[in-house]
Amino acid sequence: MALDSVRNDAYAAAIRRCVTGDSVVLDLGAGLGIHGLLAAAAGARRVYMVEPETVIGVAREIANAHAFGDRIVTVAGKIEDVDLPEPVDLIISVFTGDLLFSEDLLPSLFHARDKYLKPAGHMIPKEAELVLVPIASEQFHAQQIEIWSQPHLGLDFSAARKGAANGLYWQRRGQHAMRRLAEDQAIVRIDLTKAAKAHCMGRADYVTRQAGDCHGLLAWIRINLDGQWLT
């Protein structure tokens, strides 16, 4: 993700809109530190990169290779286990994770917000939504679901089909041909600046716009980067 130009261009634009020369920034779950580096390059007075994995050492090396590296502080550990010396004006994160809820990262984001964000501070992203649409995809269904109803080496594995049909599958855009049977809808939206719980409870009613077997629900997230929505 560090080299995802579409995502990082959108983050960079939002960071430049929020950062001033007096800004203190928290790059939460920094990884290689791309967003913290962008904040420092935008003129932030201080940037704290917090990351529990050993990649934080590489982030420190990358920061040191830049003239603004002296304004960056790397912190190894989970946000719940570390102490920052000051409140921050901006929290940057990618804690929306897989489908917003499946990695259970939002509680850590809320902890950082409640403990460190100034009352007039900003968050990037500041809100997010989970979007669903019913789809038909004969090829995908045949490869992932229907295949369990076919004998393999003379053995019957059909009991596994129910689990396969109720699983989550991750894929790149365009990997399989899919037809949307209705208009997509946001099933849940969460305001990251105010939410206290990371619960996924929502409902959407769809009106089919074309005929076809519904093989599943296609899901993705949208995040609001200071006014610009990224899908």
Side-chain angles (χ1 to χ4, degrees):
M1 290 193 298
L3 302 180
D4 181 344
S5 59
V6 173
R7 186 195 70 163
N8 290 332
D9 284 348
Y11 265 86
I15 289 169
R16 287 192 293 268
R17 288 193 295 269
C18 292
V19 168
T20 71
D22 293 325
S23 295
V24 178
V25 177
L26 166 59
D27 182 0
L28 182 60
L32 287 173
I34 177 67
H35 299 134
L37 291 165
L38 288 170
R45 175 174 62 83
R46 180 69 68 196
V47 175
Y48 296 97
M49 294 181 179
V50 177
E51 168 61 50
E53 303 297 332
T54 55
V55 70
I56 192 65
V58 182
R60 180 69 256 171
E61 292 184 40
I62 295 173
N64 286 339
H66 294 80
F68 48 71
D70 61 337
R71 290 185 271 120
I72 296 175
V73 177
T74 55
V75 182
K78 296 181 179 180
I79 190 63
E80 294 88 348
D81 300 328
V82 304
D83 287 305
L84 302 184
E86 58 184 324
V88 302
D89 301 283
L90 171 64
I91 296 177
I92 311 169
S93 75
V94 289
F95 273 25
T96 44
D98 290 331
L99 293 184
L100 191 56
F101 298 99
S102 66
E103 292 183 274
D104 200 30
L105 297 173
L106 292 179
S108 295
L109 177 59
F110 299 159
H111 172 85
R113 177 200 65 196
D114 295 343
K115 186 173 182 180
Y116 294 113
L117 188 64
K118 295 178 182 178
H122 297 275
M123 296 180 67
I124 300 176
K126 63 181 182 180
E127 60 183 325
E129 59 185 24
L130 174 62
V131 183
L132 298 177
V133 63
I135 54 98
S137 182
E138 290 80 4
Q139 179 189 34
F140 185 80
H141 187 267
Q143 292 177 355
Q144 300 293 342
I145 312 300
E146 180 61 31
I147 194 171
W148 291 103
S149 296
Q150 302 170 12
H152 181 65
L153 298 176
L155 303 173
D156 181 0
F157 287 92
S158 59
R161 176 171 173 151
K162 181 177 181 180
N166 287 279
L168 290 174
Y169 297 88
W170 310 98
Q171 65 171 5
R172 292 184 176 89
R173 185 189 300 269
Q175 186 174 346
H176 292 93
M178 295 182 174
R179 300 193 316 280
R180 300 186 186 190
L181 302 178
E183 296 293 334
D184 58 74
Q185 295 189 47
I187 194 168
V188 65
R189 176 178 286 192
I190 185 167
D191 184 341
L192 302 176
T193 68
K194 299 177 181 178
K197 297 180 180 179
H199 290 175
C200 180
M201 294 291 291
R203 175 190 174 109
D205 296 315
Y206 295 94
V207 177
T208 55
R209 66 184 185 185
Q210 62 173 287
D213 291 331
C214 179
H215 292 118
L217 292 168
L218 179 63
W220 64 94
I221 63 171
R222 298 176 71 237
I223 55 176
N224 186 343
L225 306 178
D226 191 54
Q228 177 183 1
W229 284 91
L230 177 67
T231 299

